[in-house]
Amino acid sequence: METFEITGFITGQDNEGVNFLQPSDSFQKVENGFVHRQVLQSRPGFTNFGDRLAGGTRVTGIFEFTRPGGTKDLLVTDMNFLYKYNTSTNVFDQISFAGSFAGYAGFAIGDNESYISGTGYPDKDNAARFIICGTGIAAAGSGSSIFFYDGTNVLDYTNVTDNPEYTHPVEGNLTRAKYVKYFNERLNFIVPTITTARNQGMAFSGIRTSGGSGDKFAVAGSGLFQFSTEQLIKGVEILGPEMVFNFEGGARVLQITTDAFNPYIPRNLPSFIGTDASFSSVGWGDFIATVGKEGILKTDARQSLRIDTKLPDFTADVIDQPKFELTYGGFDRKNGQFLWSYLDTSTTDTTQNRVLVWNYEEDSWSVYNMRFSVFGESEIGQDLVWNQIDVSTSHPTWGRWDTTEETWNKIGLGASIKKVLAGDDLGFIYELNSGFDDHTTGITAITKAANAVLTVNASGIVAGDEVVISNAGGMVEINNFDPSDLAQVNFKTYTVVSATPTSITINVDSSLFTTYTSGGTISVPINFRAETIPLNPYRAHGRRFNVSEIEILIDTLGGSVKVDVFEDEKVSPFIQDKILNPTKTGQTREWITMSVNHEANFLTFVFKQTSPSVQLKIISVRIHGEPGGPTSG
């Protein structure tokens, strides 16, 4: 009998004769989970960050704006407005249009594929200023769709009344751009529209000086750089002293020179695939990763390589091709993950409903079931003390002491923690890696009806979601989840029939239930699933795989895990929903044994958990087996 262990973790068990398998190579499909530090785990959930944006429309950008003095603002854009997060009220305050924009009605972005680009860029007096642009923004009266936030209002960047130092490029009036970057002491507008011509290049200002040259596009050192290509620019990121431009057929670099009058020199990168999602570029460390219809690309500004060899047909087969431009990139530095929100081709949805995750440290891939339009990062948040903590719209479970959605000793530390933020189509902002369920909100009323209708605090729960209800007062019959049940296996979910942000109809007949009185929480659990590759270490020797048992080392605070076992890649498992439940107390991990006693050409193991309040962590899986009879089929 031999032992095959899927782990990179030293367990303390006798390792003699153990054949180690890397988790990143052993799991072929991971949904709502990931491998981190060689541990397979269900993903953390997310919670509301601040109240819903007043406009209630799709979030198009999340930015952390660092002012010259070092203070920071958290800025967010939706389809019409710019908002600033208020740390005192936990509300995103809408910023007014002023100056020449006083009568401007809003950005009026008309499609889901147009996003906002933004960058901090001080004025000539080093005063704080944040520049925003986007191809989908409606032009103001002056014909411009390039804006700036001066710390108080939103103004027209190209209007000399609002921005007296501005001068147009010699080629004509700068009216809009797809991206904006502060780089090489200049303001750089990428894919600019000058007069009526849309340029596959970059308009760059002069060097920022006290004389205002940083806002002038017709002075020495400014100019319009045109790439010699017919391909479209599909993304841009800064990588040290270079700016990397992603095209449909590859990547090119603008490198800083020492010549102030000719500040950039181009360089081509060897590549055999390109980028097709314009806002998928994510820079981290010494490389940039982007998404193309032929694969996912990684570049270090010296060469470009394909990194999705473990899921080679994913971008072509799984991401909806007509809506490919929806794909938006982000980064989760806590877990070392690149995140790409996309629309799955197999659904009837019209906007993003999944997130592709690449853990670059582990070289593992997974898919999250989350509906996000954009990602961002920030250290900004409420810094509460204990006597300020109370139930709120954003944190409905703070009102009770048995909550399992938050870790109590971390509540109130938001201002000092680097957070991964995301927005959605309904105007909600979320903080990732917070709690272990997803959409969660408080209940204020429940009807007695064939399909119960719940009045709730504003949330992103939508039709089709599977939900659980806990701690509803009076109508206790509707509670289908007990937070004190550590095993978390004896509950069933309800299905949302229809929903608005403040009203949720579920498929449960509450006509004869006790009258609702108060309280309660409705949550969307996380459905975790990890499937191993078809295993047979003796296949090369022409033998079947005979497995006697498997051992799983799991975190005792992570609830139970269900296991399915399939033979020879059949549709139905011969072992299904076998529950492995930790029983020991006073220790953090426990080995649990499960009998298999089966022989096959290949065996595939699936680990599952549905939970609204705990995170499953599988530290190790040991498979005990020996050669079986001759292979067949």
Side-chain angles (χ1 to χ4, degrees):
M1 190 73 63
E2 290 190 274
T3 301
F4 301 88
E5 183 167 353
I6 303 174
T7 182
F9 185 84
I10 303 301
T11 63
Q13 296 284 309
D14 182 7
N15 292 323
E16 184 177 354
V18 175
N19 302 282
F20 289 102
L21 307 173
Q22 291 297 317
S24 59
D25 296 322
S26 301
F27 293 99
Q28 62 177 341
K29 294 181 181 177
V30 180
E31 299 172 3
N32 293 311
F34 61 103
V35 178
H36 184 56
R37 301 290 185 254
Q38 303 295 307
V39 176
L40 175 66
Q41 51 199 299
S42 59
R43 64 173 174 84
F46 56 81
T47 57
N48 283 61
F49 183 90
D51 288 350
R52 186 187 185 193
L53 302 183
T57 62
R58 177 178 171 86
V59 181
T60 56
I62 300 175
F63 312 95
E64 187 174 71
F65 169 39
T66 302
R67 295 168 177 260
T71 59
K72 297 181 178 181
D73 292 338
L74 175 57
L75 303 177
V76 170
T77 57
D78 64 7
M79 304 287 271
N80 293 293
F81 302 107
L82 175 71
Y83 302 82
K84 175 187 173 183
Y85 176 69
N86 189 319
T87 57
S88 298
T89 63
N90 198 35
V91 171
F92 284 90
D93 296 327
Q94 185 176 310
I95 307 301
S96 300
F97 296 103
S100 65
F101 274 0
Y104 187 65
F107 302 148
I109 296 175
D111 63 86
N112 287 348
E113 298 176 7
S114 293
Y115 296 102
I116 299 292
S117 178
T119 187
Y121 189 73
D123 68 11
K124 68 183 183 67
D125 298 319
N126 207 37
R129 195 172 51 168
F130 191 81
I131 316 293
I132 63 174
C133 66
T135 54
I137 298 175
S142 64
S144 171
S145 60
I146 301 176
F147 302 65
F148 73 96
Y149 166 62
D150 66 355
T152 304
N153 298 301
V154 177
L155 304 164
D156 184 350
Y157 178 77
T158 67
N159 187 293
V160 293
T161 301
D162 296 344
N163 184 16
E165 308 304 324
Y166 175 79
T167 59
H168 282 298
V170 295
E171 291 83 3
N173 294 342
L174 175 64
T175 57
R176 70 175 65 238
K178 192 169 187 177
Y179 315 96
V180 59
K181 296 288 184 182
Y182 180 10
F183 180 68
N184 197 18
E185 300 185 58
R186 293 167 166 81
L187 194 57
N188 304 270
F189 288 105
I190 296 94
V191 193
T193 298
I194 298 178
T195 307
T196 58
R198 189 179 186 189
N199 298 269
Q200 295 306 311
M202 181 175 76
F204 54 94
S205 72
I207 294 177
R208 194 178 72 86
T209 65
S210 59
S213 294
D215 290 310
K216 300 183 186 302
F217 290 79
V219 297
S222 67
L224 175 64
F225 185 93
Q226 293 276 29
F227 283 99
S228 56
T229 179
E230 295 181 356
Q231 297 179 35
L232 298 178
I233 296 174
K234 306 293 284 189
V236 59
E237 283 290 329
I238 296 170
L239 198 60
E242 298 166 318
M243 191 181 297
V244 178
F245 289 74
N246 298 301
F247 290 84
E248 294 170 300
R252 299 183 181 185
V253 171
L254 284 187
Q255 190 168 345
I256 296 174
T257 72
T258 57
D259 183 352
F261 298 99
N262 297 285
Y264 299 111
I265 185 171
R267 179 165 48 84
N268 290 340
L269 296 180
S271 176
F272 62 93
I273 63 171
T275 300
D276 293 279
S278 297
F279 283 83
S280 66
S281 299
V282 185
W284 178 253
D286 59 353
F287 64 89
I288 295 166
T290 63
V291 179
K293 290 186 176 181
E294 296 176 343
I296 300 177
L297 188 69
K298 169 184 171 182
T299 179
D300 61 359
R302 296 297 178 270
Q303 63 177 346
S304 298
L305 300 172
R306 187 169 179 176
I307 58 176
D308 58 340
T309 54
K310 293 182 179 178
L311 59 170
D313 301 317
F314 188 92
T315 62
D317 295 344
V318 180
I319 299 180
D320 187 89
Q321 299 296 293
K323 295 290 185 178
F324 205 89
E325 281 278 22
L326 290 174
T327 306
Y328 194 99
F331 188 78
D332 177 357
R333 69 177 65 195
K334 178 180 179 181
N335 297 316
Q337 297 175 341
F338 285 79
L339 308 169
W340 287 287
S341 182
Y342 68 93
L343 173 61
D344 188 288
T345 190
S346 64
T347 70
T348 58
D349 293 338
T350 58
T351 187
Q352 294 113 305
N353 54 14
R354 300 287 188 274
V355 176
L356 176 64
V357 181
W358 175 48
N359 187 306
Y360 79 98
E361 294 176 333
E362 310 284 352
D363 194 25
S364 61
W365 298 84
S366 55
V367 171
Y368 291 174
N369 183 18
M370 301 192 295
R371 304 181 292 266
F372 295 146
S373 57
V374 298
F375 298 101
E377 286 188 295
S378 180
E379 290 183 355
I380 297 171
Q382 284 192 307
D383 193 7
L384 304 180
V385 295
W386 276 94
N387 62 4
Q388 293 176 298
I389 296 173
D390 199 358
V391 64
S392 69
T393 300
S394 301
H395 302 285
T397 58
W398 284 12
R400 66 176 204 264
W401 281 91
D402 66 340
T403 179
T404 55
E405 276 81 356
E406 289 87 17
T407 304
W408 276 97
N409 62 4
K410 291 186 178 179
I411 291 179
L413 300 179
S416 60
I417 297 174
K418 193 71 174 181
K419 294 171 282 294
V420 182
L421 302 178
D424 71 2
D425 277 350
L426 300 174
F428 291 100
I429 308 296
Y430 304 97
E431 179 183 348
L432 277 62
N433 303 320
S434 180
F436 303 118
D437 54 7
D438 285 347
H439 299 281
T440 302
T441 192
I443 301 168
T444 58
I446 307 177
T447 65
K448 291 184 175 184
N451 284 322
V453 180
L454 287 67
T455 303
V456 298
N457 297 321
S459 79
I461 296 174
V462 299
D465 281 346
E466 299 296 315
V467 295
V468 295
I469 296 174
S470 60
N471 297 316
M475 192 181 287
V476 294
E477 302 95 328
I478 205 168
N479 293 321
N480 62 336
F481 177 73
D482 180 3
S484 65
D485 178 14
L486 297 180
Q488 303 212 354
V489 293
N490 299 315
F491 69 92
K492 295 182 179 180
T493 59
Y494 299 133
T495 300
V496 176
V497 177
S498 62
T500 69
T502 57
S503 178
I504 299 171
T505 302
I506 58 176
N507 66 333
V508 60
D509 187 346
S510 60
S511 303
L512 302 179
F513 287 178
T514 308
T515 301
Y516 170 84
T517 55
S518 63
T521 301
I522 182 169
S523 304
V524 177
I526 294 174
N527 289 303
F528 162 77
R529 187 179 188 275
E531 178 181 335
T532 68
I533 60 172
L535 292 168
N536 182 357
Y538 308 111
R539 177 71 175 178
H541 303 287
R543 313 298 293 184
R544 289 157 64 88
F545 192 21
N546 185 7
V547 175
S548 61
E549 62 182 18
I550 65 172
E551 294 178 285
I552 303 178
L553 181 61
I554 65 175
D555 190 310
T556 56
L557 298 178
S560 299
V561 60
K562 291 182 179 180
V563 183
D564 294 342
V565 186
F566 295 78
E567 66 170 330
D568 301 337
E569 301 185 271
K570 291 183 178 179
V571 174
S572 300
F574 65 87
I575 296 178
Q576 185 171 19
D577 290 338
K578 175 66 175 179
I579 298 174
L580 304 182
N581 186 28
T583 59
K584 296 181 180 179
T585 59
Q587 63 186 58
T588 58
R589 296 188 295 271
E590 179 180 348
W591 283 98
I592 301 177
T593 301
M594 170 184 149
S595 296
V596 178
N597 295 321
H598 197 84
E599 180 181 304
N601 290 315
F602 296 99
L603 289 172
T604 300
F605 299 89
V606 176
F607 305 97
K608 304 179 296 183
Q609 185 195 66
T610 298
S611 174
S613 63
V614 297
Q615 183 184 31
L616 177 67
K617 292 184 179 180
I618 298 177
I619 297 96
S620 178
V621 177
R622 283 190 165 182
I623 303 167
H624 300 276
E626 61 186 1
T631 54
S632 59

